[in-house]
Amino acid sequence: MALPSSSSSPSSPPPSAPPSPPSPSPSCELRFDSGRSSLDLLATAHPGERLDSVGRLRAWLVGSGLVPAGTPLRDADDSWLAEVRELRGHIGQLVRGELDGRPASAALERVNAIARAAPPAPRATRRTDGTLARALHADPGCRELLAAVARDAVELLTDPVARSCLRRCEGDSCPIIYLDTSRGRRRRWCSSEVCGNRERVARHRRRAAHARA
């Protein structure tokens, strides 16, 4: 095979590839990266309804750490979905109202009322290898689980340190709220892989359009 002539002009280095666009997030995908169970619950409403079935609610309860994997939740039904979504609405109004300086009195009253119930009682069980695992004393009902989430929201908003870490995602049209526990408190997005990558793609396209112009 003939080698290229030494007189040929050196080729310029290939332009760097743009960041890959984020994969679309299906409405059934669950996220647990906000830092608190009450904020993870708010994330289930974006970009669409993620708690769209009792099975999905069960998965969220396990993923959020409210119940250990394998908990039967025998009484879970569509009424649970309705009550969890209702609590989500109250917590959303309360958290966003605090961030905006607009106290949501009715939402606060409802969250406080729901938080009065006793949350599920944990117990330790011995695994076959001798280590301890978390379990619950009884299969919890919806009321107990709602109380656990409502208490998390109360503790979050009444803890000055945690409250100061609340952030809104800077992603375009993203309503997700999270706790910024990063070094220097410089986290900008709910997810670097989703909203962060979307912003990087947009910046690359703007730079490319400016270069062409």
Side-chain angles (χ1 to χ4, degrees):
M1 180 182 293
L3 296 175
S5 170
S6 59
S7 61
S8 60
S9 59
S11 58
S12 58
S16 59
S20 56
S23 301
S25 178
S27 61
C28 64
E29 182 184 350
L30 298 173
R31 294 178 54 178
F32 304 99
D33 52 2
S34 72
R36 299 294 288 251
S37 62
S38 54
L39 300 181
D40 284 339
L41 179 59
L42 298 187
T44 63
H46 176 74
E49 179 57 73
R50 297 172 187 261
L51 299 182
D52 53 7
S53 68
V54 174
R56 186 57 53 178
L57 174 60
R58 290 173 182 266
W60 184 83
L61 291 169
V62 173
S64 64
L66 291 172
V67 300
T71 304
L73 298 176
R74 298 177 185 87
D75 295 332
D77 57 19
D78 287 343
S79 68
W80 284 37
L81 280 174
E83 292 191 57
V84 170
R85 290 174 187 165
E86 180 183 0
L87 175 60
R88 182 180 64 190
H90 295 315
I91 292 176
Q93 292 175 30
L94 181 58
V95 172
R96 293 185 178 95
E98 290 301 303
L99 287 175
D100 295 336
R102 294 182 293 100
S105 300
L108 176 60
E109 184 177 346
R110 285 297 299 141
V111 171
N112 280 336
I114 293 170
R116 290 179 63 185
R123 66 187 180 95
T125 60
R126 187 75 65 181
R127 295 190 180 99
T128 55
D129 64 0
T131 59
L132 292 175
R134 175 175 169 262
L136 300 178
H137 275 285
D139 194 22
C142 186
R143 184 167 175 261
E144 292 90 344
L145 294 170
L146 292 175
V149 182
R151 288 183 179 213
D152 181 76
V154 170
E155 291 166 0
L156 167 63
L157 295 175
T158 56
D159 179 345
V161 175
R163 168 67 181 78
S164 69
C165 295
L166 279 174
R167 301 286 186 273
R168 279 191 174 93
C169 179
E170 294 183 21
D172 186 31
S173 302
C174 181
I176 289 181
I177 298 170
Y178 58 89
L179 281 188
D180 181 7
T181 57
S182 65
R183 180 177 296 182
R185 303 292 187 266
R186 295 178 179 177
R187 180 178 167 188
R188 296 179 54 198
W189 302 294
C190 65
S191 168
S192 180
E193 291 75 20
V194 181
C195 288
N197 198 34
R198 186 177 292 118
E199 174 62 23
R200 289 188 286 271
V201 169
R203 284 203 306 262
H204 177 88
R205 289 174 175 167
R206 289 194 293 268
R207 286 195 298 267
H210 180 73
R212 287 193 299 269

